[in-house]
Amino acid sequence: KCYSQTDSLKNHSAFFIQSNFMVGKIVANYSDFPKSTGRKTLYLDFGFYDNRKNNSTSRYYNFPASGISLSYSSLGNDSVFGREMDLVPFIDFNACHQLKNSFHFRFGIGASYFTKHYNRITNPTDEPIGSSVTWAFEAFIFQNVFSSKHLQVKAGAGFLHSSNGHTQLPNFGINSAMLSLSFQYFTKPITAQQTIVDRTIPTDRTLHFILQSRFGIGYHEFGGTTGPTGGPKKLVYTESISGGLILKQHVKLRLGFSYRFYEHYYEYILRNPLATMENHPEKILSAHPVWNSSALTFIGSGEFLYNHFGLDLEGGINISKPFYHNFNRLYENDAQPFYFLKSFFATRMGLNYYFISAQKNPKNNFFIGAHINANFGQADFSELSCGYVFRVK
């Protein structure tokens, strides 16, 4: 049962160590996917359970837990995949107002290292992983099945994903469906009373209007998911301007526009001055090489703010992306509806770090971020960015 209760005890963030045992299956995402006998993963987490009752962010997220996880995985085919090691920052949101019998949602974004990856001569079947270092994503739901002052035992299920964000081809990625059993040990005892969120304390419901500007530098290899491999890497430059509001100091919603310039597109147009637009054969790309190498997108974003960090999810509608039609003919050959979805919708997901905690509601704030960008659901490029947020009201 999930309920709230007033507790006068003073609380602080509690340090914990957590072991997480996972078993599951790698889900094939193309017809000739290498065989796997199953996936086994061991996690070791170090983090803090944020049960500060006088902290609005802690109460808003029902005393979340956050930290860093180290993991080691056997992927069921050592000759092709090798082994995987991950380093992933994570956050664990409690859906209830206490720990006992609670449901949890865990999300993490970090990095993976593979002991083997694609090589056209020595490992040509490992098309899921094109590089030794990739992005790592995790999303899980847990049920707390046992609680004591020092130990929490949780059972759950979820999804693991690793791919390099189109920085080195091929890049199908590895998707895994997993079952999990975890043991969370608190180094200092925590009573049941200390885990109950006090809902009698008023929540700040003020709306704050903001303006935001962001500059990003992306990095990718020119080609489709399967190749060609071994090509040069080029940059993607992004400038984004948006406005929106922050709800309760914890959720940021934005609308705006972004402009991107692709070096790979520009270089192709200069090398092929007579190339025409795939969807408008009467128009020559080299007549306006900069614009035809660009993308203009209407964007919408939702970002969950937790102290200095933001989990950023962005979607967009391409107003103009002229070269994508040629890119599809050269490397993808997608039929409808996939061609329409990839050419029309842009997506972006990642983490931001704010120099001033969102809880302080600063007038001016700066941030840095790391994101993966995609054409609908297919990776386009990996990106580092910096930005500025101005609170209008």
Side-chain angles (χ1 to χ4, degrees):
K1 181 181 178 180
C2 302
Y3 61 94
S4 65
Q5 179 177 333
T6 301
D7 178 23
S8 60
L9 295 174
K10 185 178 180 180
N11 298 108
H12 303 278
S13 295
F15 179 74
F16 67 84
I17 301 172
Q18 181 169 261
S19 59
N20 198 332
F21 303 93
M22 297 184 185
V23 294
K25 178 180 176 57
I26 293 177
V27 180
N29 53 9
Y30 62 94
S31 59
D32 296 325
F33 197 91
K35 300 294 183 182
S36 170
T37 59
R39 176 170 182 156
K40 302 178 184 67
T41 298
L42 172 64
Y43 270 80
L44 185 61
D45 303 336
F46 303 91
F48 288 91
Y49 170 59
D50 189 358
N51 64 332
R52 296 173 293 167
K53 291 181 180 289
N54 60 348
N55 185 285
S56 62
T57 300
S58 304
R59 295 194 308 272
Y60 181 83
Y61 288 115
N62 291 332
F63 294 166
S66 60
I68 191 84
S69 68
L70 306 172
S71 71
Y72 181 82
S73 298
S74 169
L75 303 174
N77 189 338
D78 286 350
S79 63
V80 175
F81 298 127
R83 299 295 175 100
E84 178 183 348
M85 289 158 276
D86 296 350
L87 180 66
V88 178
F90 69 89
I91 187 164
D92 182 316
F93 295 114
N94 190 348
C96 301
H97 298 165
Q98 63 173 17
L99 274 183
K100 187 177 180 180
N101 299 328
S102 54
F103 281 98
H104 297 256
F105 298 92
R106 170 170 163 150
F107 303 95
I109 303 177
S112 297
Y113 174 80
F114 288 84
T115 58
K116 292 186 178 181
H117 61 87
Y118 174 86
N119 183 289
R120 69 179 70 180
I121 297 174
T122 61
N123 197 14
T125 60
D126 191 4
E127 292 188 330
I129 299 298
S131 58
S132 57
V133 178
T134 73
W135 288 88
F137 300 92
E138 62 176 59
F140 277 80
I141 182 171
F142 290 97
Q143 165 73 57
N144 196 321
V145 296
F146 174 82
S147 296
S148 72
K149 291 183 178 180
H150 278 285
L151 183 66
Q152 307 290 320
V153 180
K154 293 176 282 187
F159 169 80
L160 298 174
H161 172 77
S162 294
S163 67
N164 64 35
H166 214 77
T167 57
Q168 187 162 311
L169 303 177
N171 180 49
F172 279 101
I174 288 181
N175 304 309
S176 305
M178 307 295 289
L179 298 175
S180 171
L181 183 65
S182 64
F183 301 86
Q184 184 181 34
Y185 176 76
F186 292 99
T187 56
K188 294 182 179 181
I190 295 181
T191 66
Q193 289 290 98
Q194 291 173 302
T195 71
I196 298 173
V197 181
D198 187 353
R199 288 302 182 191
T200 65
I201 302 175
T203 300
D204 182 359
R205 300 183 180 276
T206 307
L207 291 179
H208 300 287
F209 296 93
I210 57 100
L211 297 174
Q212 179 171 309
S213 175
R214 180 184 67 84
F215 174 74
I217 296 180
Y219 179 78
H220 68 164
E221 188 172 327
F222 195 41
T225 300
T226 59
T229 63
K233 279 76 170 173
K234 297 287 184 180
L235 301 179
V236 181
Y237 301 95
T238 302
E239 177 59 42
S240 171
I241 298 176
S242 59
L245 49 85
I246 296 178
L247 306 173
K248 304 177 184 178
Q249 299 184 28
H250 302 109
V251 179
K252 183 198 292 185
L253 302 176
R254 295 183 295 110
L255 293 174
F257 296 90
S258 72
Y259 170 81
R260 292 173 178 166
F261 175 78
Y262 290 78
E263 284 188 343
H264 270 306
Y265 294 177
Y266 186 73
E267 183 178 84
Y268 179 91
I269 291 172
L270 293 185
R271 289 183 175 182
N272 299 271
L274 298 181
T276 60
M277 291 187 186
E278 188 66 22
N279 56 335
H280 293 288
E282 75 281 2
K283 296 183 179 180
I284 298 176
L285 289 168
S286 59
H288 303 283
V290 173
W291 178 253
N292 290 326
S293 304
S294 305
L296 180 63
T297 307
F298 175 73
I299 58 172
S301 170
E303 185 175 355
F304 298 94
L305 303 173
Y306 177 65
N307 294 329
H308 288 272
F309 293 92
L311 177 62
D312 190 18
L313 306 174
E314 183 178 290
I317 297 174
N318 288 321
I319 299 171
S320 176
K321 195 174 183 180
F323 192 81
Y324 187 81
H325 307 283
N326 294 66
F327 176 83
N328 179 72
R329 175 182 59 81
L330 290 168
Y331 298 115
E332 297 292 353
N333 291 314
D334 285 320
Q336 299 291 4
F338 299 106
Y339 170 71
F340 169 77
L341 293 173
K342 291 181 184 180
S343 64
F344 196 63
F345 294 104
T347 55
R348 183 172 175 268
M349 178 177 67
L351 282 176
N352 290 323
Y353 175 82
Y354 291 87
F355 288 82
I356 304 174
S357 171
Q359 185 182 358
K360 296 181 179 180
N361 191 29
K363 186 75 172 179
N364 302 278
N365 207 350
F366 294 89
F367 66 89
I368 55 175
H371 291 70
I372 184 169
N373 294 258
N375 298 313
F376 190 55
Q378 182 174 310
D380 188 9
F381 60 92
S382 297
E383 181 185 43
L384 297 175
S385 59
C386 61
Y388 167 69
V389 182
F390 174 72
R391 178 171 58 83
V392 179
K393 176 183 177 183

